[in-house]
């Protein structure tokens, strides 16, 4: 049993790593994209098997109720995105935006990114987790710059500089946690093992722990895309290949948030340390309200949805900051729904931008008439992300708002305000994009609709009926988060 | 720990902060690279001293990496790049030297206040080391935001990483994992930056980041 469990964890790390090596050597891009999909599917299967075979906790790797949710979500979206990416890049090759050599590099990097994210999620060692997140950052920097245009290079440079600064601050925070733990846990490796830390956190020096958390919040918060540290996010989303935008929004932001949650649990285990909740609540609200207003002035479609990601990461951070079983439950649900919906939207937007040959909102219109499947897919996605019933995000936002009203009615006012402002902006833009006079090129769509509708169907299901075992699992995790 | 070794460690960490200040007012790119080499050299000395005092032989590896890689290889390579690109003219600072130095002093004061208050119980070497390390990190950040040239931003980032190394070395018994990872990440970062420099060169014929500013998101 335990042997099989260890194998499952190694599998979700080794499959992407091996696939990356193979893809880097393979010259043919068609085989490359198939191997990419196959490897992602295998990783997903290995991740699902973790439910039955949970490995024992090691000094480096850990699988518990919390990170299984993240791992399954990551590998699932990783798989669907690889399917989408296969049809997306074929078009990019045809239009000459990418060359076969770059595609080889792209596929290898995609698997390295999957490896890095999985490693960050299963790491039981705060140093290892930091290394993994750093690796994920560097990989995405390279992917964002892959088109080598003016805009792509600036976006990648900005992302690189801001990401590195964030990562550096997070490392400083990690060192401070070690310093705080050393007197209690003892020198050496043990003082970086998360499970040891959390078990003995009550004896740590609270002042050092507080300071560490501030650095970690700023550092990993940059990666989550929280305002005012979000400046890299819209550029990186808009200028990279769309599959990468989907993975960035849907997964990488979550992984950074996961790191923050781990440290939040550490602080919660020390009664004398400051409570991390209010800091997260403030950053979350600022991001939400700021991004909602920014949504109105967007002229680039991918950039608009990037701001919408900042908005939703704000809501999620807010919910986890509030804490308590109900708000944590809502935060987890919202995170899952947001990942699924936002990547579905990016799948649609990717094909739309390819057909129209532009990302400018002004040049895109009447999609439901010219491309009914894509157009209605986008409508459904935007309705979901704006938070209309009966889709999943409505339910999670409703839970966030109602739990806030019950405990801190004053905080609920800016929350609801931000949500409504964002809602208005999205629907306003949707009208022009999907309905009315068709604008722009009307070429035939060579799209794969499977991934988009699979995600949207899941979001719809979750909104109408959430299965009992899922609810029980999320409730359990919400209790763990405290 | 006896008073002498404590004083030496203190002096070395303090010198690192001083060299960070020296970096701030360099307005020629070659001079900046030379000062950075000195910065890495002082770091290597400081880490080696920690290794000696704490009897932690693995730290010598870290010191060697700092000495060989950061104090020699990187400055030499950057010299070459600068030469090849022909950008050895004056560095344009966004803010003047005076305000930058004042801001630097403010940041050092801030890190002293924050760290020394937060760590009254930690052992004195560790806490003062951390205070110095935080100062170096913040000064590195300041260098990054006051420069426009891509090469000097990279130098700022590397001196920021030097500050992190100082902190990691000062944390007694910290596993090697982290030191190697830091060194390794610098290596990767450098490769990335190298690629970037060449790409920027290819596209714009300059490494002045202002050339990139033509794109400001959504002006058009």
């Amino acid at each position: 049993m335990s042997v099989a469990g260890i194998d499952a964890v190694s599998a979700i790390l080794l499959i992407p790593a091996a696939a990356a090596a193979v893809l880097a050597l393979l010259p043919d891009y068609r085989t490359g994209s198939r191997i990419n999909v196959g490897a992602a599917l295998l990783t997903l299967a290995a991740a699902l098997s973790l439910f039955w075979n949970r490995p024992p906790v090691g000094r480096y790797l850990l699988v518990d109720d919390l990170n299984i949710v993240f791992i399954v979500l990551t590998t699932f979206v990783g798989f669907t995105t690889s399917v989408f990416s296969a049809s997306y890049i074929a078009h990019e090759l045809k239009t000459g935006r990418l060359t076969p050599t770059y595609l080889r590099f792209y596929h290898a990097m995609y698997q390295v990114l999957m490896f890095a994210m999985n490693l960050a999620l299963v790491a039981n060692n705060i140093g290892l987790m930091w290394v993994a997140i750093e690796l994920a950052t560097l990989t995405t920097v390279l992917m964002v710059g892959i088109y080598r245009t003016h805009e792509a290079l600036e976006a990648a440079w900005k992302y690189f500089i801001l990401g590195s600064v964030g990562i550096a601050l997070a490392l400083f925070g990690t060192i401070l946690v070690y310093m705080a733990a050393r007197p209690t846990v003892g020198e050496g490796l043990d003082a970086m093992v998360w499970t040891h830390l959390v078990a003995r956190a009550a004896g740590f020096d609270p002042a050092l722990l507080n300071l560490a958390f501030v650095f970690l919040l700023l550092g990993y918060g940059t990666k989550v895309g929280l305002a005012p540290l979000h400046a890299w996010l819209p550029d990186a989303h808009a200028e990279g290949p769309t599959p990468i935008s989907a993975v960035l929004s849907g997964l990488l932001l979550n992984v950074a948030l996961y790191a923050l949650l781990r440290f939040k649990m550490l602080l919660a285990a020390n009664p004398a340390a400051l409570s991390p909740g209010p800091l997260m609540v403030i950053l979350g609200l600022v991001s939400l309200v700021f991004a909602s207003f920014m949504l109105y002035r967007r002229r680039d479609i991918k950039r608009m949805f990037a701001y919408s990601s900042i908005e939703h990461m704000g809501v999620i951070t807010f919910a986890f900051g509030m804490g308590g079983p109900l708000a944590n439950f809502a935060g987890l649900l919202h995170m899952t729904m947001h990942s699924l919906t936002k990547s579905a939207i990016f799948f649609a937007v990717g094909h739309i931008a390819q057909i129209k040959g532009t990302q400018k909102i002004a040049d895109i219109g009447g999609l439901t008439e010219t491309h009914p499947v894509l157009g209605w897919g986008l409508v459904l996605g935007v309705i979901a992300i704006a938070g209309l019933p009966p889709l999943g995000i409505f339910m999670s936002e409703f839970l966030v708002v109602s739990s806030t009203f019950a405990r801190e009615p004053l905080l609920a006012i800016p929350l609801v305000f931000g949500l409504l402002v964002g809602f208005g902006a999205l629907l306003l833009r949707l009208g022009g994009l999907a309905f009315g006079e068709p604008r722009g090129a009307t070429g035939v769509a060579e799209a794969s609709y499977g991934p988009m509708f699979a995600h949207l169907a899941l979001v719809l299901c979750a909104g109408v009926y959430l299965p009992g075992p899922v609810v029980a699992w999320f409730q359990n995790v919400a209790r763990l988060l405290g | 720990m006896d008073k002498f070794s404590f004083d030496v460690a203190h002096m070395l960490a303090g010198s690192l902060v001083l060299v960070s200040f020296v970096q701030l007012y360099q307005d020629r790119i070659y001079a900046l690279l030379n000062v950075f080499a000195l910065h890495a050299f002082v770091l290597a000395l400081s880490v080696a001293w920690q290794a000696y005092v704490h009897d932690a032989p693995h730290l010598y590896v870290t010191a060697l990496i700092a000495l060989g890689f950061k104090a020699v290889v990187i400055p030499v390579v950057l010299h070459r790049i600068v030469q090849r690109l022909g950008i050895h003219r004056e560095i344009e600072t966004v803010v003047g030297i005076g305000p930058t130095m004042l801001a630097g002093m403010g940041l050092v004061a801030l890190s002293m206040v924050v760290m020394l208050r937060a760590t009254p119980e930690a052992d004195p070497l560790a806490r003062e080391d951390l205070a110095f390390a935080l100062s170096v990190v913040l000064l590195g950040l300041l260098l990054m935001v006051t420069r426009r040239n891509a090469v000097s931003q990279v130098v700022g980032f590397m001196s920021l990483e030097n500050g992190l190394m100082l902190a990691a070395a000062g944390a007694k018994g910290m596993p090697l994992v982290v030191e190697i990872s830091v060194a390794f990440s610098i290596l990767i970062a450098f490769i990335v930056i190298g690629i970037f420099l060449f790409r920027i060169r290819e596209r714009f014929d300059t490494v002045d980041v202002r050339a990139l500013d033509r794109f400001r998101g959504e002006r058009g």
Side-chain angles (χ1 to χ4, degrees):
Chain A
M1 189 81 179
S2 64
V3 175
I6 291 171
D7 286 346
V9 176
S10 335
I12 64 169
L13 299 175
L14 288 179
I15 295 171
V22 171
L23 288 168
L25 297 172
L26 206 71
D28 180 37
Y29 80 93
R30 273 194 200 83
T31 331
S33 64
R34 266 180 226 127
I35 292 182
N36 196 25
V37 173
L41 181 63
L42 278 177
T43 319
L44 173 62
L48 286 174
S49 77
L50 284 175
F51 279 113
W52 296 281
N53 289 315
R54 194 169 310 175
V57 175
R59 289 169 102 191
Y60 289 102
L61 302 180
L62 156 84
V63 176
D64 63 3
D65 288 351
L66 171 63
N67 64 7
I68 280 193
V69 177
F70 282 81
I71 294 168
V72 170
L73 187 65
T74 302
T75 47
F76 176 71
V77 177
F79 165 62
T80 48
T81 308
S82 70
V83 175
F84 162 69
S85 147
S87 72
Y88 180 85
I89 54 152
H91 187 276
E92 297 295 280
L93 200 64
K94 214 185 289 168
T95 53
R97 288 184 81 191
L98 288 175
T99 62
T101 327
Y102 275 104
L103 276 185
R104 196 160 117 191
F105 175 74
Y106 164 86
H107 280 133
M109 280 296 145
Y110 188 88
Q111 289 296 333
V112 174
L113 176 62
M114 286 296 140
F115 166 77
M117 289 197 294
N118 288 340
L119 182 62
L121 292 176
V122 296
N124 190 20
N125 181 303
I126 54 175
L128 190 63
M129 183 153 90
W130 180 83
V131 171
I133 293 181
E134 158 105 62
L135 180 63
T137 309
L138 288 175
T139 325
T140 38
V141 166
L142 289 173
M143 307 259 262
V144 166
I146 203 167
Y147 287 137
R148 305 182 73 190
T149 55
H150 258 329
E151 294 82 356
L153 285 178
E154 191 198 343
W157 180 256
K158 203 183 207 177
Y159 177 29
F160 174 64
I161 292 290
L162 282 170
S164 311
V165 170
I167 278 292
L169 294 180
L171 179 61
F172 199 77
T174 307
I175 295 172
L176 288 178
V177 171
Y178 170 80
M179 299 278 291
R182 200 188 55 191
T184 317
V185 184
E187 278 177 26
L189 191 61
D190 281 353
M192 297 202 98
V193 175
W194 187 82
T195 36
H196 294 218
L197 291 178
V198 92
R200 311 227 190 127
F204 294 178
D205 177 10
L208 258 182
L209 215 51
N210 292 347
L211 195 61
F213 187 75
V214 172
F215 277 99
L216 290 162
L217 184 64
L218 285 178
Y220 288 132
T222 311
K223 299 283 308 156
V224 179
L226 296 175
L229 310 161
H230 67 280
W232 62 273
L233 195 144
D235 286 353
H237 277 66
E239 303 310 331
T242 311
I244 300 312
S245 317
V247 178
L248 268 177
S249 252
L251 302 179
L252 194 57
L253 306 185
N254 288 352
V255 172
L257 188 65
Y258 165 82
L260 263 185
L261 286 179
R262 283 279 182 212
F263 286 107
K264 177 177 180 262
M265 288 163 82
L266 193 62
L267 253 75
N270 185 325
L274 98 172
S275 104
L279 285 175
M280 291 174 74
V281 164
I282 292 170
L283 276 184
L285 276 182
V286 170
S287 311
L288 166 65
V289 174
F290 168 79
S292 304
F293 276 105
M294 293 303 276
L295 278 173
Y296 281 92
R297 292 200 48 210
R298 296 310 100 193
R299 298 190 202 123
D300 180 306
I301 185 165
K302 278 168 84 178
R303 195 172 274 272
M304 176 171 89
F305 289 114
Y307 274 100
S308 149
S309 290
I310 301 178
E311 178 200 344
H312 285 279
M313 290 322 280
V315 175
I316 299 165
T317 311
F318 173 85
F320 286 130
M322 288 296 291
L326 191 57
N328 280 336
F329 179 88
L332 271 178
L333 187 65
H334 195 74
M335 187 196 75
T336 315
M337 292 300 121
H338 171 252
S339 289
L340 292 173
T341 317
K342 191 50 68 59
S343 35
I345 289 180
F346 272 118
F347 297 161
V349 167
H351 287 311
I352 291 167
Q354 282 184 333
I355 294 166
K356 301 286 180 189
T358 176
Q359 292 174 197
K360 285 219 175 79
I361 292 179
D363 298 338
I364 304 172
L367 281 169
T368 45
E369 252 176 66
T370 52
H371 302 88
V373 188
L374 268 183
W376 285 108
L378 182 71
V379 171
L380 198 60
V382 175
I383 284 181
I385 207 81
L388 278 177
L391 291 117
I393 288 192
F394 167 73
M395 198 167 82
S396 54
E397 278 182 356
F398 179 77
L399 280 174
V400 176
V401 171
S402 59
S403 66
T404 311
F405 259 119
R407 286 167 52 198
E408 299 285 344
L410 277 181
L411 283 179
I413 296 168
L415 176 69
V416 173
F417 173 71
L419 286 175
L420 286 178
V421 171
F423 175 84
L426 284 168
L427 290 198
L428 191 74
R429 290 280 173 240
L430 179 67
L433 284 172
F435 307 105
E437 195 80 358
R439 280 191 304 268
T442 52
V444 188
E446 294 166 28
S448 58
Y449 300 114
M452 177 173 78
F453 285 108
H455 282 201
L456 290 175
L458 279 176
V459 173
L460 181 64
C461 278
V464 177
Y465 169 71
L466 206 57
V470 176
V471 175
W473 191 282
F474 275 21
Q475 275 170 344
N476 182 25
V477 176
R479 261 197 305 280
L480 270 181
L481 283 170
Chain B
M1 185 194 304
D2 61 78
K3 182 115 178 30
F4 173 69
S5 47
F6 177 80
D7 283 345
V8 172
H10 213 144
M11 183 197 76
L12 287 172
S15 323
L16 200 64
V17 178
L18 191 67
V19 179
S20 283
F21 269 108
V22 176
Q23 277 185 334
L24 279 182
Y25 65 77
Q26 297 307 319
D27 57 1
R28 300 230 161 223
I29 201 155
Y30 283 150
L32 182 64
L33 289 177
N34 294 341
V35 177
F36 172 72
L38 179 65
H39 199 263
F41 178 69
V42 175
L43 174 76
L45 279 186
S46 173
V47 173
W49 185 254
Q50 298 268 13
Y52 172 69
V53 169
H54 286 146
D55 198 17
H58 63 271
L59 282 180
Y60 284 120
V61 180
T62 316
L64 268 182
I65 294 173
L67 185 66
F69 188 65
K70 290 212 272 189
V72 179
V73 177
I74 285 192
V76 168
V77 173
L78 279 179
H79 254 280
R80 288 251 173 94
I81 290 181
V82 168
Q83 209 165 18
R84 192 169 300 163
L85 300 182
I87 48 161
H88 38 270
R89 59 176 197 281
E90 264 189 33
I91 297 170
E92 292 173 52
T93 40
V94 176
V95 195
I97 301 287
T100 312
M101 296 301 275
L102 282 177
M105 280 187 243
L107 288 176
V108 173
L110 176 78
S111 59
M112 294 295 160
V113 169
V114 167
M115 290 310 303
L116 298 183
R117 277 235 180 112
T119 56
E121 278 136 43
D123 70 287
L125 176 60
R127 67 194 283 240
E128 282 167 24
D129 225 35
L130 271 181
F132 282 129
L134 183 58
S135 315
V136 175
V137 168
L138 293 179
L139 288 175
L141 271 178
L142 184 65
L143 188 65
M144 281 174 86
V145 297
T146 52
R147 298 296 162 113
R148 280 231 163 116
N149 185 300
V151 175
S152 13
Q153 284 186 351
V154 169
V155 171
F157 179 63
M158 287 190 299
S159 62
L160 188 158
E161 295 254 33
N162 282 352
L164 291 174
M165 292 275 265
L166 184 66
K172 194 163 163 243
M174 184 131 164
L176 187 63
V177 186
V178 176
E179 276 108 9
I180 288 182
S181 73
V182 171
F184 195 63
S185 69
I186 291 163
L187 181 71
I188 302 174
F190 190 65
I191 295 169
V192 175
I193 290 161
I195 296 167
F196 269 111
L197 289 182
F198 278 106
R199 284 186 171 182
I200 291 172
R201 164 81 180 150
E202 215 171 281
R203 294 276 164 180
F204 313 107
D205 296 316
T206 169
V207 277
D208 191 330
V209 180
R210 254 183 311 180
L212 297 176
D213 286 356
R214 219 178 307 166
F215 167 69
R216 260 289 168 258
E218 318 181 43
R219 222 172 247 168

